[in-house]
Amino acid sequence: MQTAAERATATGTSRQKFRVGVVLLDNFTLNAFSGFIDALRLAADTGGRSRQIECGWVITGHGALRASCGLTVTPEHEPVDPAQLDYIAVAGGNDYMLRRQPAWLDAYLRAADGAGKTLIGLCTGTFNIARAGLMDGRPACVHWNVRDEFIDQFPGIDTVSDNIFLDTGDRITCAGSTGASDLALHLVRRHCGAERAQQSLRHMILNRQRKASSPQPQFASGAGAIRDGAVRRCINLMEQSLDVTVPLAELAARAGLSERQLARRFHDALGQPPSRYYRHLRLSHGAWRLVHTTDPVMQIAVETGFADASHFHREFRRRYGMPPAIYRKAATRREPHGARKA
């Protein structure tokens, strides 16, 4: 069966090897959308000239759409006939908790699926594909920050949050953020070859393309199994504020509890007070940075919420049994080809 790009090539109208239609939704996440499109754009032509030669894309949607950052975008096209495309990507965003979506989106995605097209969930676009009933029997890769909500809305779908994206053939789901660029490069490499993917990387000043199995930097392992919703919400807040510690009083207020109630519920759920668990998250983040970046220890200490390198060193050694520098060297020996900072 010919791809849409192959059919265009056969008629002499294009040499595109694949073509993607991106459906923008209101409140979409700009980083995931722009990273995905730019990785395609920089691979499609030479010299960053943006001509759709090696691959193609069309940005679609209904009317003016506002990104979650406030930028307003007006797509040139309404959603196009799936027969003209090889992939349909849904660029979701901050409206994933609404639990409803336009009827036209359900109909369009089902038509694309019926035409045998691969559906891509960018960021929370996976929520929209699942809401249309098109993720049944397939695992979904979602960002760790929305995993609880996805499980709550779609309890029958196997949910993955330790990959940056997941390609299962007719569905590709992506946690979003910078992982969307890696997903686009995955498609470029598949259809256009490694050199085109490398060309895009060079233009984006990135050192490497991450694999789908690359981990999401998350540090609250096992938090998904915690039944107490207030504790899970506090853990999510902690993970989003690893550089500047959120005071216990603020955590409690945002959870709708007193400090004493929150401390008791943390102890019931995790066997430790919030402050100790917070320190655990910050140290886990520091350990991840030591292995996956070349940042100086002093910088990591400050950016994980410690007063200085000495404080970080002392707490890190107490937790891991060795100083940060030794931990980094040991990890490098274990994984000589491990990921370094892009």
Side-chain angles (χ1 to χ4, degrees):
M1 181 178 179
Q2 284 186 318
T3 65
E6 286 170 341
R7 286 193 294 275
T9 301
T11 62
T13 59
S14 173
R15 72 168 192 241
Q16 292 174 3
K17 296 180 175 65
F18 71 104
R19 188 166 180 79
V20 184
V22 181
V23 181
L24 282 184
L25 301 178
D26 209 28
N27 223 3
F28 70 93
T29 304
L30 183 61
N31 190 14
F33 163 67
S34 61
F36 182 80
I37 288 295
D38 255 13
L40 298 179
R41 178 182 70 83
L42 294 168
D45 197 1
T46 56
R49 286 182 286 177
S50 306
R51 293 174 298 175
Q52 298 189 30
I53 298 174
E54 294 294 324
C55 59
W57 60 91
V58 57
I59 301 167
T60 72
H62 287 285
L65 298 163
R66 185 178 183 274
S68 55
C69 67
L71 177 71
T72 299
V73 174
T74 303
E76 290 185 303
H77 304 277
E78 292 189 353
V80 302
D81 182 354
Q84 301 176 25
L85 306 166
D86 301 299
Y87 300 91
I88 290 91
V90 183
N94 283 355
D95 285 346
Y96 64 92
M97 296 182 70
L98 294 180
R99 303 197 177 205
R100 65 179 184 275
Q101 62 191 25
W104 69 260
L105 181 58
D106 286 337
Y108 183 71
L109 293 177
R110 289 167 186 161
D113 178 60
K117 304 302 176 180
T118 296
L119 302 180
I120 299 174
L122 290 179
C123 194
T124 60
T126 302
F127 280 75
N128 302 101
I129 298 173
R131 201 166 285 133
L134 298 172
M135 285 301 300
D136 294 349
R138 304 172 178 87
C141 175
V142 298
H143 193 287
W144 59 263
N145 193 42
V146 301
R147 185 174 188 271
D148 285 352
E149 181 65 25
F150 191 89
I151 291 172
D152 188 49
Q153 291 192 33
F154 312 105
I157 297 176
D158 183 23
T159 307
V160 175
S161 290
D162 52 3
N163 289 24
I164 55 173
F165 67 89
L166 186 64
D167 185 347
T168 61
D170 64 348
R171 300 290 182 271
I172 305 177
T173 51
C174 177
S177 194
T178 59
S181 297
D182 297 285
L183 166 54
L185 292 168
H186 169 72
L187 299 179
V188 169
R189 187 177 292 269
R190 170 187 289 168
H191 294 284
C192 305
E195 179 52 38
R196 283 287 165 179
Q198 287 298 320
Q199 173 181 293
S200 188
L201 283 167
R202 289 193 295 271
H203 275 284
M204 291 189 289
I205 320 180
L206 295 174
N207 293 336
R208 62 186 179 85
Q209 175 189 341
R210 293 176 296 177
K211 296 180 179 179
S213 58
S214 297
Q216 295 181 36
Q218 54 179 316
F219 314 103
S221 58
I226 297 172
R227 295 183 179 181
D228 191 319
V231 172
R232 288 202 312 272
R233 285 195 297 275
C234 286
I235 290 173
N236 285 337
L237 289 170
M238 290 175 177
E239 282 209 299
Q240 295 170 44
S241 307
L242 295 175
D243 54 341
V244 180
T245 304
V246 178
L248 178 59
E250 183 177 340
L251 285 174
R254 294 180 70 170
L257 302 170
S258 69
E259 292 183 48
R260 180 175 295 181
Q261 287 173 320
L262 182 61
R264 184 175 67 249
R265 287 169 72 159
F266 254 82
H267 191 274
D268 291 343
L270 295 163
Q272 57 188 299
S275 58
R276 187 185 302 170
Y277 189 79
Y278 212 160
R279 185 166 61 249
H280 155 76
L281 291 181
R282 289 156 52 213
L283 288 168
S284 296
H285 180 36
W288 189 91
R289 293 273 297 273
L290 288 168
V291 174
H292 291 87
T293 77
T294 56
D295 297 337
V297 173
M298 179 63 192
Q299 179 182 343
I300 293 173
V302 172
E303 293 178 357
T304 50
F306 291 89
D308 51 42
S310 296
H311 185 203
F312 176 67
H313 184 284
R314 184 170 61 253
E315 295 293 340
F316 192 93
R317 184 164 191 162
R318 181 178 297 147
R319 165 85 183 277
Y320 292 99
M322 64 183 77
I326 301 300
Y327 182 91
R328 170 175 269 169
K329 289 179 181 178
T332 302
R333 285 195 297 270
R334 287 194 302 270
E335 301 180 57
H337 301 294
R340 309 306 293 168
K341 183 168 70 173

